[in-house]
Amino acid sequence: MAKPTASPVRTGIVHLALIIYTLIALFPVFLTVINSFKDRASIFRDPLGLPTPSTFSLIGYQTVLGQGDFVLYFQNSFIVTGVSIFFVLLFGAMAAFALSEYRFRGNTLMGLYLALGIMIPIRLGTVAILQGMVAAGLVNTLTALILVYTAQGLPLAVFILTEFMQTVSDDLKNAGRIDGLSEYSIFFRLVLPLVRPAMATVAVFTMIPIWNDLWFPLILAPSDATKTVTLGSQVFIGQFVTNWNAVLAALTLAIVPVLVLYLIFSRQLIRGITSGAVK
Amino acid sequence: MSTVEQSFVSQGEDKRRRRWHILVFLLPALLVYTAVMILPLVETLRLSLFNVRDNQSVFVGLDNFQVLFGDPRWAASFWNALRNNFVFFVIHMLVQNPIGVALAALLSVPKLRFGAFYRTAMFLPTLLSFVIVGFIWKLILSPIWGVSPFLLDLVGLKSLFSPWLGKPGSALIAVSLISVWQYVGIPMMLIYAAMLNIPDEVLEAAECDGVTGWSQFWKIKLPLILPSIGIISILTFVGNFNAFDLVYTVQGALAGPDGATDILGTLLYRTFFGFQLQIGDKSMGATIATVMFLIILSGVCLYLFAIQRRMRRYQF
């Protein structure tokens, strides 16, 4: 049944507005990517033109891959992000299970204590974090970043996973108990597989700020061997600021992994947000 | 049979037996969270009450705050950063959140085609790192490249162009708008989710009463999504008073031109870490972090106790 309000003119205006904003959102990315494949002269002569056979050039990419240690930076980012997410999910799910499954004294208080970190940014503790990392000899190691990001990701993970674990049926867990499963097996073999969708949502939410963070790599791990790709491209672009080919190529290289991951996970991410996981 | 009874009924009795499981489950998260997040936060607050005198750390009470608020060497840059941060926040509230709400309202038009495509495309900038966003816009707004004068020329407004990022009067607005461009996806998605949760019966009832289109948005949908607007406001507040990265990538640590885009995050970075001729100062860094902490905390408390309580939650 067509709604009486859905007149073609109105629908047209809605689409027009959405298309205009979509263009605003995508244009800068598009502009960067097309110009990274052009030679220097045509970047300036015709910034909006697509690369043609006569203007096509990979000189920017050659500079980036020849001069910067981008492979290493990517590797660092992957290690830091991957290991942090692993610990956030494991520790977060364990704590969420304890909070949602068992009644014990201080349960609510513990939940509130762990939720504090959702609103208060970990960045404000930087002065003492650096001091602690210096004392522990962890400055300029990936371990320092992994520790910080794990702590940063835990509050939201515990919060979201607790809500989801409350929906896992008690009958199932009790059936497991009758079959003689230990509490640990119940968690790992019964509950974890059931909350996998929630874990994926948490993983995506946790991953984005870690991958994109500039502050902690800059302060805790700025050495060449431990630079993440975000910090690495920041420094690289700073040095090559007049080499537009190299800058545009470096930007494109930094966009690609995010873009690929987004296209894979966008359904998960958007469903996660719209199902109210972050409320 | 006895096990069944136990797990079903006597939760009090086997609490003692289970205690170790609970501890094992909680301990890793608690340890990491407390050691890396809570203790450093407390230690930072503590450090703000100490300063170095004759190479020794001594308790100075609120002296650091007095220096920060009143000493001519510090006060000017602190108040400047605080004011800029407020402007930064106000621009987000006035531009980012209304655009987010408008886009969400458009996306939730019933039977909209390509809805998923629009959502995916408009959320993309939110995922890009500040480094990418900062440099892309720096290039686009650069007078050397000529992309923005060219585009303005297309709509006949070329005379309006100026190097916005380089002028003290417009730099802060330009940086704020870049940040708005990046983050508009978050309010859009949260409001969109809230609008999806409005039951069809309510909207149909409104339509039967002749409330459609604009008046339906203002009279029916907006009141129902107010709690979500509260949430995006507090998220914006916390995010803005904690911001650093975008200003750093666009304008550098000095937050130029002439401190025009300096916000608390960049001030904290320069103070604590040192920059060029300035030597890093741990005590003053901790003091600025404490001020940021108090600002964010008061915003969160205001939200939790004053705003969220008064807002009526509609349960369907």
Side-chain angles (χ1 to χ4, degrees):
Chain A
M1 190 182 83
K3 298 217 167 166
T5 49
S7 76
V9 178
R10 244 174 64 103
T11 317
I13 293 174
V14 167
H15 277 282
L16 187 70
L18 287 170
I19 288 171
I20 289 175
Y21 199 84
T22 304
L23 287 180
I24 296 176
L26 293 184
F27 173 72
V29 177
F30 172 75
L31 191 69
T32 309
V33 175
I34 57 167
N35 279 294
S36 72
F37 291 104
K38 294 199 287 203
D39 59 35
R40 191 179 164 82
S42 45
I43 289 177
F44 285 96
R45 197 174 343 105
D46 181 18
L48 298 178
L50 291 170
T52 61
S54 64
T55 60
F56 182 80
S57 160
L58 287 175
I59 180 80
Y61 291 91
Q62 283 161 3
T63 320
V64 173
L65 297 175
Q67 302 266 347
D69 288 322
F70 269 82
V71 179
L72 179 67
Y73 299 159
F74 268 112
Q75 194 185 319
N76 288 337
S77 274
F78 274 117
I79 293 174
V80 168
T81 314
V83 177
S84 306
I85 288 181
F86 173 78
F87 283 123
V88 167
L89 289 179
L90 179 67
F91 295 169
M94 283 164 66
F97 183 67
L99 289 176
S100 65
E101 178 67 13
Y102 308 114
R103 268 185 230 156
F104 56 93
R105 202 184 296 163
N107 183 317
T108 319
L109 206 64
M110 185 70 73
L112 282 177
Y113 174 70
L114 286 169
L116 264 183
I118 298 178
M119 280 300 184
I120 304 296
I122 191 170
R123 201 175 271 186
L124 299 179
T126 306
V127 176
I129 290 177
L130 180 62
Q131 203 174 311
M133 293 297 174
V134 171
L138 289 175
V139 171
N140 279 330
T141 61
L142 298 181
T143 317
L145 292 178
I146 291 169
L147 278 172
V148 170
Y149 293 142
T150 306
Q152 170 186 295
L154 275 172
L156 191 66
V158 172
F159 185 74
I160 295 178
L161 292 174
T162 306
E163 297 226 323
F164 266 84
M165 285 192 184
Q166 276 160 355
T167 64
V168 174
S169 104
D170 281 336
D171 292 347
L172 182 75
K173 285 174 282 193
N174 287 328
R177 290 194 179 103
I178 296 169
D179 287 346
L181 291 182
S182 71
E183 295 298 315
Y184 303 109
S185 327
I186 288 176
F187 170 69
F188 281 107
R189 286 165 55 187
L190 293 183
V191 177
L192 268 195
L194 285 176
V195 294
R196 240 185 332 205
M199 304 264 275
T201 307
V202 172
V204 179
F205 282 137
T206 314
M207 180 179 77
I208 300 161
I210 296 178
W211 182 274
N212 286 342
D213 189 38
L214 183 62
W215 176 265
F216 283 112
L218 194 62
I219 285 170
L220 292 178
S223 79
D224 244 342
T226 54
K227 273 195 189 91
T228 59
V229 74
T230 307
L231 179 59
S233 36
Q234 156 79 20
V235 173
F236 176 86
I237 294 169
Q239 284 164 355
F240 282 77
V241 77
T242 49
N243 185 341
W244 286 61
N245 294 91
V247 169
L248 290 165
L251 285 173
T252 306
L253 282 179
I255 292 172
V256 168
V258 184
L259 206 60
V260 171
L261 283 174
Y262 181 49
L263 291 179
I264 298 172
F265 288 110
S266 64
R267 245 162 220 275
Q268 185 68 46
L269 179 79
I270 289 171
R271 202 186 303 141
I273 300 174
T274 49
S275 72
V278 281
K279 276 189 266 176
Chain B
M1 184 62 193
S2 66
T3 4
V4 188
E5 295 275 275
Q6 253 183 350
S7 17
F8 273 111
V9 187
S10 56
Q11 236 172 353
E13 200 181 296
D14 63 16
K15 202 169 20 175
R16 206 154 295 137
R17 199 171 57 82
R18 282 182 185 170
R19 188 183 280 155
W20 291 107
H21 310 286
I22 303 178
L23 197 65
V24 171
F25 280 129
L26 276 175
L27 207 59
L30 266 187
L31 270 182
V32 176
Y33 176 70
T34 308
V36 187
M37 181 150 181
I38 297 297
L39 288 181
L41 211 54
V42 174
E43 171 72 4
T44 303
L45 300 186
R46 194 187 69 86
L47 277 173
S48 72
L49 302 176
F50 286 77
N51 208 333
V52 181
R53 301 267 157 86
D54 308 324
N55 279 330
Q56 274 190 331
S57 181
V58 286
F59 181 79
V60 294
L62 296 175
D63 276 8
N64 289 336
F65 293 92
Q66 244 166 14
V67 169
L68 186 65
F69 299 151
D71 187 301
R73 281 174 304 153
W74 290 96
S77 49
F78 170 72
W79 292 114
N80 174 47
L82 188 64
R83 196 178 49 241
N84 288 342
N85 222 148
F86 263 105
V87 174
F88 193 66
F89 171 63
V90 169
I91 293 179
H92 278 79
M93 287 299 285
L94 291 182
V95 183
Q96 171 188 289
N97 295 346
I99 293 184
V101 173
L103 290 174
L106 292 176
L107 282 175
S108 61
V109 166
K111 300 200 186 109
L112 182 80
R113 295 179 72 191
F114 312 119
F117 166 74
Y118 291 132
R119 279 201 309 270
T120 311
M122 291 192 290
F123 197 69
L124 174 69
T126 309
L127 301 174
L128 299 178
S129 83
F130 300 96
V131 175
I132 300 171
V133 172
F135 274 100
I136 288 184
W137 280 101
K138 218 166 131 175
L139 298 182
I140 291 177
L141 294 178
S142 152
I144 305 172
W145 200 8
V147 173
S148 20
F150 175 78
L151 288 176
L152 284 175
D153 199 21
L154 286 182
V155 283
L157 293 173
K158 194 176 182 180
S159 54
L160 282 184
F161 180 79
S162 71
W164 288 296
L165 283 173
K167 287 188 166 175
S170 57
L172 183 60
I173 298 173
V175 171
S176 310
L177 290 178
I178 296 174
S179 172
V180 166
W181 175 80
Q182 181 177 13
Y183 278 118
V184 87
I186 290 178
M188 179 186 84
M189 285 299 187
L190 292 178
I191 298 289
Y192 173 67
M195 285 188 171
L196 284 188
N197 285 333
I198 299 176
D200 286 339
E201 297 91 71
V202 174
L203 298 181
E204 277 164 18
E207 261 160 36
C208 287
D209 290 344
V211 183
T212 53
W214 273 110
S215 65
Q216 190 186 60
F217 174 77
W218 289 107
K219 288 183 184 153
I220 313 278
K221 288 183 176 168
L222 197 63
L224 289 175
I225 58 167
L226 270 186
S228 302
I229 293 185
I231 291 171
I232 58 176
S233 306
I234 188 63
L235 287 179
T236 312
F237 182 82
V238 174
N240 285 166
F241 276 91
N242 180 37
F244 157 80
D245 311 56
L246 187 69
V247 175
Y248 182 79
T249 51
V250 176
Q251 306 285 32
L254 282 175
D258 198 20
T261 51
D262 201 16
I263 56 176
L264 291 172
T266 43
L267 180 68
L268 168 64
Y269 176 79
R270 284 201 315 276
T271 307
F272 169 50
F273 219 61
F275 192 74
Q276 291 175 355
L277 292 175
Q278 192 179 353
I279 301 164
D281 184 335
K282 200 169 70 181
S283 309
M284 290 312 285
T287 309
I288 295 174
T290 304
V291 172
M292 289 165 74
F293 174 80
L294 294 176
I295 291 175
I296 291 176
L297 193 68
S298 47
V300 172
C301 289
L302 181 78
Y303 166 72
L304 288 179
F305 296 114
I307 300 177
Q308 201 194 24
R309 283 222 181 145
R310 283 196 198 156
M311 236 174 245
R312 284 169 59 192
R313 294 231 163 223
Y314 294 88
Q315 295 283 340
F316 299 113

